[in-house]
Amino acid sequence: MIDYKIVIPSYQRPQIFKDKTLALLKKYKIPIDNIDLLLGTPEEGQEYRKVLGNGFATNFIYHGQKGIGAVRNWIKWYYKYQTNVKYVVYLDDDITSILDWQTPIENLESFIENMFYETETRKLNLWGISAFHNPFFMKKTITTNLKYICGAFSGEIIDRTKHDIYCDVDHGEDFQFTCEYFLRDGGVLRNNGVCIVTKYFGDGGINASYGGLEERKKDMEVQCKYLNERYGSMTRLIEKKYGWDIRLNGFFKII
């Protein structure tokens, strides 16, 4: 098995993390030393310690940032420049299941290793899965065209010879990362037959960092329009019942 880290940013959701993502990782017998929990401050760590116990506290890493965009950027910087880690898996704190089509994957470590292998074979750096557990949006394929790499479960091969990629938005940061990695590397790898089960826009987490769901929704329109203007034909805007969103152009080619 390759040497990898599972990196989980969390904010004001210690019980959710324990009951969902941590329970899922324990189910798959992921070694505790492979898991890093990213928290804002030591004070926040005290609240998580009450729920998780002192043993897991050795896995806490404090970033001191505010806003999901700043946190994602700090994580990119930290693992590239402050560690020797090459293979990083980014995971949200509220993942209930990881499904191969509609069945839980049998071996998470084997899946992670295979995704890194498929990515490295194609000389790419970013991989992901389908964002929705709905067969209508899924296919049993692995692709390298411009498809959305959801930040809730994705992986990166850190290449310290390439230029850094950071985001400048809080909402839609994973769309921006997808576009930037595609432009830098010539593609992003996605397994379209595997998906996660999670509750987007759930309590705590990003909603809490915004001060509530309604405040987050206000920012969605601004950020999505900015991304659409910046990336042009790579994106298109859509308005859904929960707010504005982005769709990527899978036919986009780098000239």
Side-chain angles (χ1 to χ4, degrees), residues 190-236:
R190 200 173 94 162
N191 188 319
N192 302 298
V194 172
C195 66
I196 54 173
V197 178
T198 187
K199 183 180 180 182
Y200 295 105
F201 297 92
D203 294 336
I206 298 176
N207 286 350
S209 71
Y210 267 99
L213 178 58
E214 292 308 312
E215 290 302 313
R216 182 181 181 184
K217 286 181 177 179
K218 290 178 184 177
D219 197 45
M220 290 169 67
E221 180 177 359
V222 175
Q223 304 284 13
C224 286
K225 287 183 176 179
Y226 162 72
L227 291 172
N228 180 240
E229 181 178 357
R230 176 167 176 170
Y231 293 102
S233 61
M234 297 178 78
T235 68
R236 64 182 175 90

Side-chain angles (χ1 to χ4, degrees), residues 10 26 29 45 47-48 86 91 106 113 135 209 217 243-244:
S10 188
K26 287 182 176 179
K29 297 180 172 56
E47 297 302 313
Y48 277 72
K86 182 179 180 180
L91 198 61
E106 292 184 5
E113 184 169 25
S209 71
K217 286 181 177 179
W244 289 81

Side-chain angles (χ1 to χ4, degrees), residues 6-10 13-28 30 35 37 56 90-98 108 152 197-198:
I6 293 180
V7 178
I8 307 166
S10 188
R13 300 204 289 198
Q15 194 65 52
I16 288 175
F17 168 64
K18 180 180 180 181
D19 294 342
K20 294 189 176 182
T21 297
L22 185 57
L24 184 67
L25 295 177
K26 287 182 176 179
K27 170 188 170 185
Y28 284 111
I30 300 298
I35 304 169
L37 185 66
F56 196 81
Y90 305 110
L91 198 61
D92 276 3
D93 62 2
D94 59 350
I95 306 299
T96 304
S97 299
I98 302 170
L108 180 57
V197 178
T198 187

Side-chain angles (χ1 to χ4, degrees), residues 72 76 90 115 119 125-131 143-156 172-179 181-182 187-192 200 248:
R72 299 284 193 200
K76 298 281 185 183
Y90 305 110
M115 289 299 290
T119 305
N125 293 92
L126 186 68
W127 62 259
I129 62 171
S130 176
T143 53
T144 59
N145 61 326
L146 183 59
K147 286 185 180 293
Y148 171 51
I149 304 299
C150 177
F153 181 30
S154 61
E156 179 181 2
E173 83 286 348
D174 41 7
F175 283 101
Q176 186 170 28
F177 281 128
T178 302
C179 291
Y181 278 87
F182 185 89
V188 291
L189 186 125
R190 200 173 94 162
N191 188 319
N192 302 298
Y200 295 105
L248 297 181

Side-chain angles (χ1 to χ4, degrees), residues 5-124:
K5 281 288 186 182
I6 293 180
V7 178
I8 307 166
S10 188
Y11 181 63
Q12 294 186 4
R13 300 204 289 198
Q15 194 65 52
I16 288 175
F17 168 64
K18 180 180 180 181
D19 294 342
K20 294 189 176 182
T21 297
L22 185 57
L24 184 67
L25 295 177
K26 287 182 176 179
K27 170 188 170 185
Y28 284 111
K29 297 180 172 56
I30 300 298
I32 192 73
D33 291 342
N34 288 35
I35 304 169
D36 287 344
L37 185 66
L38 278 290
L39 302 173
T41 65
E43 290 75 22
E44 190 176 358
Q46 292 176 9
E47 297 302 313
Y48 277 72
R49 186 178 288 109
K50 291 176 184 176
V51 175
L52 302 176
N54 288 327
F56 196 81
T58 58
N59 301 65
F60 295 175
I61 296 176
Y62 302 110
H63 53 72
Q65 307 299 306
K66 292 185 178 180
I68 188 60
V71 173
R72 299 284 193 200
N73 288 339
W74 188 92
I75 290 171
K76 298 281 185 183
W77 167 83
Y78 177 81
Y79 284 93
K80 185 172 184 177
Y81 293 108
Q82 301 300 309
T83 77
N84 295 318
V85 176
K86 182 179 180 180
Y87 302 101
V88 178
V89 177
Y90 305 110
L91 198 61
D92 276 3
D93 62 2
D94 59 350
I95 306 299
T96 304
S97 299
I98 302 170
L99 305 180
D100 183 353
W101 205 249
Q102 294 297 294
T103 304
I105 63 172
E106 292 184 5
N107 188 314
L108 180 57
E109 280 201 313
S110 292
F111 174 76
I112 289 171
E113 184 169 25
N114 184 64
M115 289 299 290
F116 280 123
Y117 170 79
E118 295 287 350
T119 305
E120 203 156 28
T121 298
R122 292 166 174 81
K123 295 180 169 52
L124 300 176

